[in-house]
Amino acid sequence: MSWVKEGELSFWERFCANIIKAGPMPKHIAFIMDGNRRYAKKCQVERQEGHSQGFNKLAETLRWCLNLGILEVTVYAFSIENFKRSKSEVDGLMDLAREKFSRLMEEQCFLNICFAYTSRHEISNAVREMAWGVEQGLLDPSDVSESLLDKCLYTNHSPHPDILIRTSGEVRLSDFLLWQTSHSCLVFQPVLWPEYTFWNLCEAILQFQMNHSMLQKARDMYAEERKRQQLERDQAAVTEQLLQEGLPASGDPQLRRTRLHKLSARREERVQGFLQALELKRADWLAHLGTASA
């Protein structure tokens, strides 16, 4: 039987879900699943049991998301900093993760798992990848931009989260998706993760809906600003080309438009070639990692 799809929503849960779905709905939610150890202490059980209940809650939360039409979820499962915990706890978490995530891989859902992850490492790695592209002659230095960095992140195939939820009452992001959540609705809830409920999720979605217009406006303004900055850079590059050729910088408008179009098309061609090479590079690295761990 499906782990995620076990059980159904109650009548009142279905009723409220239908009301909530009448408003703007998030397409992607990210969770910082915090509070497993405090839950174990509260219930006077072993830490491992707290983590196990946390994984079970993830499966239940994915079912709620599917019922609400939220098809993509990202979770902060394990930070690089978590390796500083005791060896017995880390080993137990690794064993539990292998067991639970193996079951989740069989499910019909889109789940991104951030494991041994920090956002600073992800961003610095994206910068290194762009530098590699320039060194290899795949990119021009002028191709480096915020838009390209966005495409070099681990999450490049996913839309940015609409909501980021952190449980346990902590009001910080803990180095999680710092770039991707710059225009997300941030929801901090006091409940411990293993005690998370359908109603907690509905509360977070309602907060998103109340702020949806403002969030969308901020995203649109940011996208327009990036386009404007790129156009200014392109116009400056065309001006420099014309001056180097001894032509007036503000001469024939048609000539400028033609040069701008060619400049943009060539940059897009370089960027797409670089991204394809980057995908192959990462695939080779993963294949090597799989061979080394076999």
Side-chain angles (χ1 to χ4, degrees):
M1 183 180 291
S2 168
W3 188 29
V4 169
K5 295 182 180 178
E6 289 175 6
E8 295 293 336
L9 295 180
S10 69
F11 169 79
W12 286 112
E13 287 173 341
R14 290 197 306 273
F15 178 77
C16 290
N18 288 331
I19 292 175
I20 286 174
K21 286 193 284 187
M25 288 296 293
K27 298 179 178 65
H28 182 187
I29 296 183
F31 290 93
I32 300 177
M33 306 180 295
D34 196 12
N36 292 344
R37 296 200 294 177
R38 273 170 279 178
Y39 170 82
K41 184 177 181 180
K42 173 184 174 182
C43 297
Q44 298 183 330
V45 297
E46 295 293 327
R47 285 181 178 177
Q48 190 73 356
E49 177 61 21
H51 292 308
S52 181
Q53 290 300 319
F55 277 108
N56 291 337
K57 182 57 64 176
L58 172 58
E60 190 175 14
T61 303
L62 289 174
R63 174 168 61 85
W64 299 332
C65 288
L66 284 172
N67 276 282
L68 289 166
I70 301 160
L71 300 181
E72 185 159 359
V73 172
T74 297
V75 296
Y76 203 4
F78 200 81
S79 164
I80 291 174
E81 298 298 316
N82 291 151
F83 283 106
K84 296 177 181 178
R85 295 179 180 179
S86 68
K87 185 178 185 302
S88 60
E89 184 177 0
V90 171
D91 289 345
L93 270 170
M94 295 297 112
D95 292 340
L96 192 61
R98 274 190 287 269
E99 174 196 344
K100 300 296 186 179
F101 288 143
S102 294
R103 292 189 66 183
L104 283 172
M105 286 174 67
E106 300 170 2
E107 304 290 345
Q108 297 297 313
C109 58
F110 201 124
L111 175 65
N112 304 308
I113 302 165
C114 295
F115 208 86
Y117 166 93
T118 67
S119 188
R120 284 174 295 177
H121 180 272
E122 178 186 26
I123 294 169
S124 61
N125 182 70
V127 172
R128 284 193 296 270
E129 299 289 24
M130 291 188 293
W132 170 80
V134 173
E135 289 171 1
Q136 296 295 313
L138 299 169
L139 295 171
D140 285 348
S142 60
D143 296 332
V144 175
S145 65
E146 288 185 35
S147 178
L148 181 57
L149 190 150
D150 201 38
K151 294 181 175 71
C152 293
L153 297 173
Y154 303 141
T155 57
N156 66 87
H157 294 299
S158 298
H160 289 180
D162 299 294
I163 309 175
L164 185 148
I165 297 170
R166 178 165 190 160
T167 57
S168 86
E170 295 289 343
V171 187
R172 52 195 172 89
L173 298 182
S174 294
D175 213 351
F176 180 54
L177 300 181
L178 301 179
W179 181 279
Q180 297 89 333
T181 57
S182 58
H183 297 104
S184 301
C185 180
L186 307 181
V187 180
F188 301 99
Q189 297 175 302
V191 61
L192 301 177
W193 175 249
E195 297 176 328
Y196 203 71
T197 69
F198 176 78
W199 306 111
N200 294 130
L201 179 59
C202 289
E203 177 197 8
I205 294 172
L206 285 172
Q207 286 194 42
F208 165 76
Q209 291 178 336
M210 287 188 292
N211 292 283
H212 179 261
S213 296
M214 181 182 66
L215 291 167
Q216 190 59 52
K217 182 180 179 181
R219 286 184 175 184
D220 291 344
M221 288 177 63
Y222 176 65
E224 287 300 317
E225 179 62 16
R226 288 211 307 199
K227 288 180 183 177
R228 185 190 65 78
Q229 290 177 355
Q230 185 62 64
L231 180 59
E232 284 184 354
R233 288 194 295 269
D234 288 351
Q235 288 176 335
V238 167
T239 297
E240 185 177 353
Q241 286 179 3
L242 293 173
L243 291 174
Q244 287 177 349
E245 295 171 13
L247 298 173
S250 57
D252 184 358
Q254 180 60 42
L255 176 61
R256 286 190 65 87
R257 284 194 295 270
T258 300
R259 293 290 183 93
L260 278 171
H261 177 73
K262 287 182 178 179
L263 185 72
S264 176
R266 287 170 182 164
R267 181 181 62 251
E268 184 61 24
E269 184 179 349
R270 287 192 302 271
V271 166
Q272 290 306 315
F274 161 70
L275 293 174
Q276 290 173 10
L278 182 57
E279 287 288 333
L280 291 173
K281 179 180 176 222
R282 288 178 172 176
D284 288 344
W285 180 84
L286 287 171
H288 176 73
L289 184 66
T291 302
S293 61

